Amino acid sequence: MKSFEYVITDPVGIHARPAGIMVKEIKNLIGTTVTIAKGEKSANALRLMAVMQLGIKQGDTVKVTVEGGDEAAAAATLEKFFKEHF
Amino acid sequence: MITIQGKGVSTGVAAGPLYFYRRAKGTITRFTVEDRDAEWQRFKDAQAKAIEQLGELAEKARVEAGDEAAMLFETHQMMAEDLDYEETIQGLILDEGQNAEAVVTDVGAQFADMFATMDDDYMKARAADVKDVSGRIVGILLGIVQGGIDSDVPVVLASDDLAPSETVQLDKSKILGFVTSGGSGSSHTAILARTMGIPAIIGVGDQLKEEYEGREVIIDGGTGIVAVDPDEDTRVHLMKKREEQLKRLALLNQLKGQPNETKDGQKIKIFCNIGDPSDVAAVLENDGGGVGLFRSEFLYLNCDDYPTEDYQFEAYKKVLSDLDGKEVVIRTLDIGADKQIAYFDMPKEENPALGNRALRICLNRPEIFRTQLRALFRASAFGKLGIMFPMVTSVWEVKEAKKMCDQVRAELDAEGIAYSDDVEIGIMIETPAAAVISDRLAQIVDFFSIGTNDLTQYTLACDRQNNDLGRFFNAHHPAVLRLIKLVTENAHKHGAWVGICGELGADLELTETFLSIGLDELSVSPRSVLPLRQKVRETNVSEVRERLMDDLMSDANTI
């Protein structure tokens, strides 16, 4: 299991469009389960609406956890993705 | 005439008959299904069909309104196959034997509700997306074809609130404008209307009555006015506005993306003057090359006390990010003279135009200046920033201001806060003093921006707000133009770039002169960008330069 924390800089937070692209990206990470957590609440990152329901806003710290598959590569890919989109 | 006030969300004027959008409605009945697996398959088929339709819509939107609009439907696709959504539906069909139409309607409403109750306007607006997707699947299950516009002539389309997919499916050649009773400025209808350049007004509530169907309306998406059966004055006024807009639109289509280059290949940058982060939309709409003057005063005018560093930072950052790498020149606080702010508590002056204003206040009250500079440098990490000091008369002022910039940078370094090391520092040339010593000033700055309103006022000793001085206040006065020429030559001698950010920059009678003088940039109001670009592209500098410069510099008494 690998994880990283990220502070959201996008003014709208995690919104539908980039979240949708994220789901596509994660589908390419074969055998890896990705979880996004904000405080107590967490969601499987493949579940678009559940991720949106976390209501992640600018300034929030999220914890992204990857499990299974090539964890190191998956974490690196996702960290880059978060920096670019959120 | 009946006048209705709504909220304009997409500018432009449209006139035509009012037409109410008719939604094909199916009745949803509830029953228990015998064959649950077959019902589940029926849902899966409808879901697949919906995803296919959304894919087609995405392509249609891509062509009509660009990638952003297409992405919306791709998001809808993902919502349609969202696992939580699908599993909830699956449970109700397979475990409880409910029929697919009823289940999708219920689950759609349930998910929409979850968004609607979120503490975030953006997420609230997403409820409409979920409803839209669910409505599509239900429609397919019921075999309903969505309603279109049954009219031979183009219409102003009225509805409660159009779903994004409805907006895209409509035959655009039939739509002159949108009026909706509900909706929000961040709804997709508003966004799509803007990208497609169709005027739109939302939130007119129950003032818009179905009995107005077929009657003539004029809508103004700029002001949010809907005039039903307009009277003659309103019609003339709005139609004139419409004509101007159409002209601008035609110009835009013809000139958008074209370089600001003369016939003989001389280039000039055309940037925009803005006073508020929301003006950025107009900059992009008019294809401005950047922001040559962002007046920071609004931040101070909108507050009851000195705006905090964070508050300023957010505003600067927004403009820099929205401009997406194009240069943004932000002018530091320029109050005093005709712009007074109560909490600054400035003593009354006999002669405020010659008093404690702009950079003078900043240098006298460094704590205010420091807050602004910190916010500016922090924001510099998010785009291409130029910082500009107004109302300079001496070299020492600029040196002192630059020293404060160095201090702020050192502070940020110590605090580990990121900033760009590519920030340009420039000054306004608004006083004859600055123009005359511009050779010295050019050596310590990256750019000049000539503020022609003040430069004219100070050079001609004419109060620009005194209407009686009309014919004495002449911005075409050779003294002003000679100063502009002098400043440009001095800037270029020392490797600085030079622009104009006063109203004179948009004066088409002077465009040839400015090109001949060799200015690098003109910063004008967004709506002046394209007319100016057109003028530049029609000019052949080599044909006019000699004559214009001779006229300007000659000792003949005729001008």
Side-chain angles (χ1 to χ4, degrees):
Chain A
M1 190 174 86
K2 271 198 167 318
S3 67
F4 64 88
E5 289 197 346
Y6 179 78
V7 181
I8 305 295
T9 59
D10 189 288
V12 198
I14 292 199
H15 50 298
R17 281 177 284 194
I21 306 174
M22 179 182 74
V23 170
K24 278 188 184 167
E25 292 258 336
I26 292 174
K27 282 186 179 160
N28 294 331
L29 305 173
I30 309 295
T32 305
T33 306
V34 182
T35 312
I36 298 180
K38 173 190 154 187
E40 305 275 283
K41 293 191 291 179
S42 69
N44 181 328
L46 270 185
R47 296 173 182 246
L48 177 69
M49 294 215 252
V51 171
M52 290 170 68
Q53 293 284 333
L54 293 175
I56 294 166
K57 293 180 191 161
Q58 186 179 29
D60 285 347
T61 303
V62 294
K63 188 174 177 188
V64 181
T65 309
V66 295
E67 255 184 304
D70 186 347
E71 291 178 350
T77 307
L78 283 168
E79 198 159 1
K80 183 161 171 281
F81 183 87
F82 269 67
K83 279 186 184 141
E84 276 169 20
H85 292 87
F86 301 123
Chain B
M1 179 172 78
I2 303 155
T3 310
I4 300 168
Q5 179 72 56
K7 187 174 171 224
V9 290
S10 177
T11 55
V13 175
L18 192 66
Y19 182 94
F20 277 82
Y21 182 74
R22 281 167 192 82
R23 209 163 263 133
K25 278 200 184 107
T27 319
I28 291 159
T29 48
R30 293 173 182 278
F31 51 90
T32 309
V33 292
E34 299 274 312
D35 186 343
R36 295 179 179 187
D37 288 325
E39 190 68 1
W40 171 239
Q41 191 53 47
R42 202 163 76 84
F43 166 76
K44 289 297 282 176
D45 290 345
Q47 182 194 34
K49 178 85 183 154
I51 289 167
E52 185 193 323
Q53 286 179 356
L54 285 164
E56 287 164 9
L57 278 176
E59 288 322 304
K60 188 162 188 275
R62 198 183 311 284
V63 174
E64 287 178 0
D67 283 340
E68 287 267 309
M71 193 63 214
L72 163 65
F73 294 106
E74 287 166 6
T75 308
H76 280 196
Q77 279 185 318
M78 287 181 249
M79 285 181 166
E81 52 187 344
D82 180 78
L83 289 172
D84 284 343
Y85 180 71
E86 189 179 306
E87 283 165 12
T88 312
I89 291 168
Q90 187 178 25
L92 292 170
I93 295 177
L94 291 183
D95 302 342
E96 300 191 12
Q98 298 184 28
N99 62 316
E101 298 88 325
V103 170
V104 175
T105 305
D106 293 348
V107 173
Q110 180 194 329
F111 275 75
D113 262 1
M114 293 197 297
F115 281 111
T117 52
M118 281 176 81
D119 171 28
D120 179 319
D121 285 344
Y122 171 81
M123 288 299 171
K124 276 192 169 91
R126 302 288 69 75
D129 292 332
V130 184
K131 273 192 196 149
D132 194 7
V133 170
S134 304
R136 171 175 303 280
I137 298 175
V138 171
I140 294 167
L141 287 165
L142 295 173
I144 292 169
V145 181
Q146 279 298 323
I149 301 170
D150 184 20
S151 164
D152 295 333
V153 293
V155 295
V156 172
L157 195 65
S159 69
D160 47 1
D161 189 15
L162 286 169
S165 58
E166 292 173 320
T167 328
V168 167
Q169 275 164 13
L170 292 165
D171 176 1
K172 301 309 169 307
S173 65
K174 291 272 174 66
I175 304 173
L176 301 163
F178 291 110
V179 182
T180 67
S181 53
S184 82
S186 56
S187 75
H188 292 301
T189 308
I191 296 167
L192 286 172
R194 278 196 290 271
T195 18
M196 296 188 299
I198 298 174
I201 295 171
I202 60 165
V204 294
D206 53 10
Q207 302 173 82
L208 193 69
K209 298 183 172 59
E210 285 216 33
E211 66 196 64
Y212 301 154
E213 167 107 20
R215 282 156 75 173
E216 200 205 341
V217 292
I218 301 188
I219 65 169
D220 181 347
T223 58
I225 296 270
V226 181
V228 184
D229 301 328
D231 59 30
E232 196 53 28
D233 282 354
T234 309
R235 179 199 309 278
V236 169
H237 168 69
L238 287 177
M239 291 317 270
K240 190 165 160 255
K241 202 166 164 184
R242 178 179 145 80
E243 215 161 280
E244 281 165 13
Q245 266 157 352
L246 288 179
K247 251 190 224 158
R248 221 166 49 81
L249 217 60
L251 202 60
L252 185 67
N253 288 334
Q254 183 196 333
L255 291 173
K256 201 164 185 170
Q258 299 287 330
N260 308 306
E261 188 174 341
T262 63
K263 284 187 172 158
D264 50 340
Q266 184 175 327
K267 286 187 182 163
I268 190 161
K269 291 178 187 166
I270 301 181
F271 283 11
C272 295
N273 300 337
I274 63 171
D276 194 281
S278 64
D279 294 339
V280 169
V283 176
L284 301 176
E285 240 173 69
N286 289 286
D287 203 17
V291 171
L293 168 64
F294 175 22
R295 304 178 184 91
S296 58
E297 290 80 70
F298 84 97
L299 287 166
Y300 296 83
L301 293 163
N302 284 350
C303 292
D304 299 326
D305 201 348
Y306 298 104
T308 62
E309 180 183 320
D310 281 343
Y311 177 74
Q312 296 192 45
F313 164 70
E314 290 299 335
Y316 302 147
K317 179 184 151 192
K318 175 152 183 26
V319 173
L320 282 159
S321 336
D322 288 354
L323 261 291
D324 203 15
K326 290 179 175 167
E327 174 143 29
V328 178
V329 174
I330 302 181
R331 181 175 70 189
T332 58
L333 181 62
D334 186 13
I335 61 155
D338 52 332
K339 280 170 283 186
Q340 292 291 341
I341 298 174
Y343 59 78
F344 272 78
D345 206 14
M346 305 288 291
K348 203 162 167 50
E349 295 173 294
E350 275 294 306
N351 219 336
L354 306 180
N356 198 6
R357 55 172 293 200
L359 186 62
R360 296 172 180 178
I361 295 179
C362 292
L363 295 179
N364 282 341
R365 298 171 71 172
E367 69 288 353
I368 298 174
F369 199 28
R370 179 173 161 269
T371 305
Q372 183 168 34
L373 290 176
R374 278 185 60 100
L376 284 167
F377 275 103
R378 281 173 59 194
S380 71
F382 298 87
K384 175 86 187 82
L385 174 67
I387 298 177
M388 175 160 78
F389 307 125
M391 195 64 194
V392 167
T393 52
S394 305
V395 169
W396 71 262
E397 296 162 355
V398 183
K399 285 191 170 161
E400 197 169 309
K402 283 184 69 178
K403 207 165 147 194
M404 289 202 56
C405 293
D406 292 339
Q407 278 166 9
V408 163
R409 284 198 198 95
E411 281 173 30
L412 295 177
D413 281 338
E415 294 163 38
I417 298 174
Y419 62 88
S420 163
D421 50 13
D422 192 23
V423 177
E424 289 195 307
I425 303 285
I427 56 170
M428 298 269 295
I429 302 283
E430 301 161 280
T431 63
V436 172
I437 61 162
S438 52
D439 51 341
R440 295 188 182 167
L441 290 166
Q443 299 176 43
I444 54 170
V445 298
D446 299 310
F447 67 89
F448 287 153
S449 189
I450 304 172
T452 48
N453 303 343
D454 269 335
L455 185 63
T456 308
Q457 148 163 300
Y458 292 130
T459 304
L460 304 183
C462 256
D463 183 348
R464 58 180 158 124
Q465 271 148 0
N466 185 339
N467 293 331
D468 295 338
L469 288 174
R471 64 189 176 128
F472 299 98
F473 188 93
N474 171 20
H476 293 209
H477 195 296
V480 177
L481 298 176
R482 282 184 183 185
L483 285 177
I484 294 173
K485 183 165 183 283
L486 174 73
V487 169
T488 307
E489 286 163 0
N490 282 333
H492 289 167
K493 216 177 288 169
H494 297 284
W497 63 265
V498 55
I500 287 181
C501 65
E503 277 162 37
L504 213 54
D507 187 335
L508 299 179
E509 283 179 35
L510 288 174
T511 309
E512 292 181 339
T513 305
F514 293 150
L515 285 163
S516 300
I517 288 175
L519 283 146
D520 302 294
E521 180 238 30
L522 297 172
S523 190
V524 299
S525 68
R527 57 173 42 252
S528 299
V529 168
L530 294 168
L532 189 53
R533 173 174 299 166
Q534 188 178 37
K535 180 73 188 175
V536 168
R537 293 174 61 81
E538 285 166 5
T539 302
N540 191 332
V541 191
S542 55
E543 279 175 8
V544 294
R545 182 185 282 121
E546 202 171 327
R547 175 177 58 79
L548 289 171
M549 291 302 99
D550 280 354
D551 283 354
L552 179 59
M553 301 312 288
S554 88
D555 54 8
N557 235 340
T558 51
I559 341 161

